Amino acid sequence: MSNRYAGSCLCGAARFEVLGEFERFYLCHCEFCRKDTGSAHAANLFSSTAVLKWVAGEDQVRQFNLPGTRHSKCFCGTCAAALPMMQVQGQLLVVPAGSLNGEVRIRPDAHIFVSSKASWDDELEKVPAFERFPV
Ligand SMILES: [Zn+2]
Ligand SMILES: [Zn+2]
């Protein structure tokens, strides 16, 4: 029995499936991932065995490689949402956790590159939480 995950970009033009298992789930706080996501950290699932299948919109997929680094990202050419990609010469599937639809039961394994954390990224679980935008 192999797992099947479905995902898409924000506008829905690009849709995909991942067949198989993820081996790692990392929250990366490095400078590149912070800029790339505009947030505290990236949240990516990794697999060396799972298969990525584009269901729709593969022609929408764009890739950006940051010159002089190994940082790269795939995204939808219409809505710019993060999408899965193959890295390490096609050996490693990287899937942005937020691109998956429905419930993801896997828990993150670790925060990584925490020495590069944003100054405000500290004890965030202590910040007040609201169900909706507070009025
Ligand atoms: Zn899109
Ligand atoms: Zn990173």
Side-chain angles (χ1 to χ4, degrees), residues 2-130:
S2 143
N3 270 321
R4 179 186 161 281
Y5 300 89
S8 69
C9 65
L10 181 59
C11 75
R15 288 186 284 125
F16 63 88
E17 286 183 351
V18 174
L19 303 165
E21 306 300 330
F22 292 109
E23 290 135 24
R24 292 283 182 271
F25 185 180
Y26 287 139
L27 307 177
C28 184
H29 297 253
C30 86
E31 189 186 345
F32 301 151
C33 287
R34 288 194 288 112
K35 282 285 182 196
D36 178 325
T37 61
S39 190
H41 56 74
N44 285 316
L45 294 145
F46 295 84
S47 179
S48 60
T49 54
V51 176
L52 172 66
K53 273 180 37 184
W54 291 101
V55 176
E58 186 172 5
D59 61 340
Q60 290 283 316
V61 182
R62 305 282 180 274
Q63 182 164 346
F64 172 73
N65 304 304
L66 185 61
T69 76
R70 288 187 301 174
H71 186 88
S72 52
K73 121 176 243 188
C74 276
F75 58 97
C76 171
T78 300
C79 71
L83 289 169
M85 64 183 306
M86 299 303 298
Q87 293 188 352
V88 197
Q89 284 95 46
Q91 300 299 297
L92 188 66
L93 172 63
V94 183
V95 179
S99 71
L100 293 174
N101 301 337
E103 200 177 327
V104 178
R105 291 174 200 280
I106 312 159
R107 299 282 303 164
D109 292 299
H111 293 272
I112 61 173
F113 288 93
V114 292
S115 59
S116 300
K117 267 185 173 186
S119 57
W120 49 268
D121 181 6
D122 189 39
E123 301 190 324
L124 295 182
E125 66 284 354
K126 293 186 181 165
V127 174
F130 300 90

